[in-house]
Amino acid sequence: MNTTPHTEARSREVWQRPFVKAHQKWCDDFVIELRLRDVPGPVIGEHLGEVEAHCGETGETPTEAFGDPTDYARQIDEDGSPERVSGTWKITILSAAQVLAMLVGTAAVTPWARGEQLSYNAVQLACLGLFLLVLLSLPQLLSPLIRHPWAVGVPLSALVPLVAVGAAASDRLGLPALLTLPAPVLSVGLFVVVLVLAFVEHRELARDLDDDLVTSPFAAVAQAPQAGGKRRWMAVLVPSCLIPVGYLVLAAFSWIYA
């Protein structure tokens, strides 16, 4: 029988620190702003460590010492210009490629079921290109979207249905097809592409969670050993599975109602 006393798990993540928990709102806003600016997690942790050390010495709150957390984050980012995190754009490109493959691949299911080929006219190709451009722009749009959800979010959310309606309406105009592709090969082949991209995205997300944690420069503190690991596992698995599962669901409905 193992009689070794239980050793409590320790964590260097900033979220376990009593100072961060005591000033949760200020720290959350500070971290979010730096994350939106693509600042690496360890660098964010160092800045939070500086804030904690200063407040510990002076007895001030973060607001009293540094003012608004968003303004302070913007100031230190502009002054420090830390190295950017490349993972953000990698995940964006991988996700955009998966979504585009899903749209084209599931669109091929209906003509496949009817024994036809998949064809695109000029308007439909333009709509696909516009939609892909919006997806690739999301990292740049995220910051204004959070700060101005109505002013930015409403037009952005309206753009996607308009693109879909435009692509569907153009099919009734009798425009000549610019691109014709074999539907079965396209539908099956793009699903394989989505699976491969999902696997690559899963590995990228898992690596980012380990390498880009917001860690404190101070001594590790006690944490609940299981909760954090479960949340990280779900944060990696769920985004990686969304597009492949969505592909199968849309393909099934397209085949049934073809």
Side-chain angles (χ1 to χ4, degrees):
M1 179 181 294
N2 185 5
T3 58
T4 304
H6 172 69
T7 301
E8 192 171 22
R10 315 290 290 181
S11 173
R12 296 188 67 88
E13 290 186 69
V14 298
W15 312 115
Q16 304 299 326
R17 299 199 61 78
F19 174 84
V20 174
K21 293 180 179 180
H23 305 282
Q24 191 76 52
K25 179 65 169 61
W26 193 97
C27 294
D28 284 348
D29 292 343
F30 180 75
V31 171
I32 289 173
E33 180 62 28
L34 290 178
R35 279 297 195 191
L36 290 174
R37 292 170 171 269
D38 212 15
V39 176
V43 176
I44 297 176
E46 290 175 6
H47 289 305
L48 267 179
E50 294 170 0
V51 172
E52 179 179 347
H54 177 86
C55 292
E57 292 176 359
T58 63
E60 297 176 296
T61 66
T63 302
E64 293 170 342
F66 301 98
D68 180 76
T70 301
D71 292 338
Y72 181 60
R74 188 180 301 118
Q75 174 189 332
I76 64 174
D77 176 53
E78 292 172 351
D79 293 344
S81 300
E83 180 182 354
R84 304 292 106 174
V85 179
S86 60
T88 301
W89 282 105
K90 289 180 182 177
I91 297 299
T92 300
I93 293 172
L94 288 170
S95 300
Q98 286 185 80
V99 172
L100 185 63
M102 181 182 68
L103 291 176
V104 176
T106 55
V109 172
T110 299
W112 179 13
R114 295 174 179 173
E116 302 170 353
Q117 290 186 316
L118 177 67
S119 61
Y120 284 103
N121 59 43
V123 174
Q124 291 169 330
L125 289 175
C127 289
L128 277 177
L130 179 59
F131 184 68
L132 180 61
L133 182 62
V134 171
L135 291 177
L136 293 175
S137 302
L138 285 179
Q140 297 297 326
L141 295 174
L142 188 58
S143 180
L145 182 62
I146 291 177
R147 295 192 184 98
H148 311 287
W150 289 103
V152 179
V154 171
L156 187 61
S157 61
L159 178 62
V160 176
L162 286 175
V163 169
V165 170
S170 67
D171 195 36
R172 300 178 179 273
L173 299 177
L175 298 176
L178 293 184
L179 185 63
T180 302
L181 301 166
V185 175
L186 197 65
S187 183
V188 175
L190 287 179
F191 181 65
V192 174
V193 170
V194 165
L195 289 178
V196 172
L197 292 175
F199 175 73
V200 175
E201 182 180 11
H202 180 274
R203 293 187 61 183
E204 190 69 32
L205 287 171
R207 187 181 68 178
D208 285 349
L209 279 178
D210 293 333
D211 297 343
D212 198 35
L213 292 174
V214 183
T215 53
S216 175
F218 302 126
V221 296
Q223 72 158 0
Q226 295 181 349
K230 184 177 180 180
R231 285 196 298 268
R232 290 181 199 169
W233 180 77
M234 292 298 294
V236 171
L237 182 63
V238 172
S240 305
C241 293
L242 282 177
I243 302 301
V245 172
Y247 195 114
L248 292 175
V249 172
L250 289 175
F253 275 101
S254 297
W255 185 275
I256 292 171
Y257 293 103

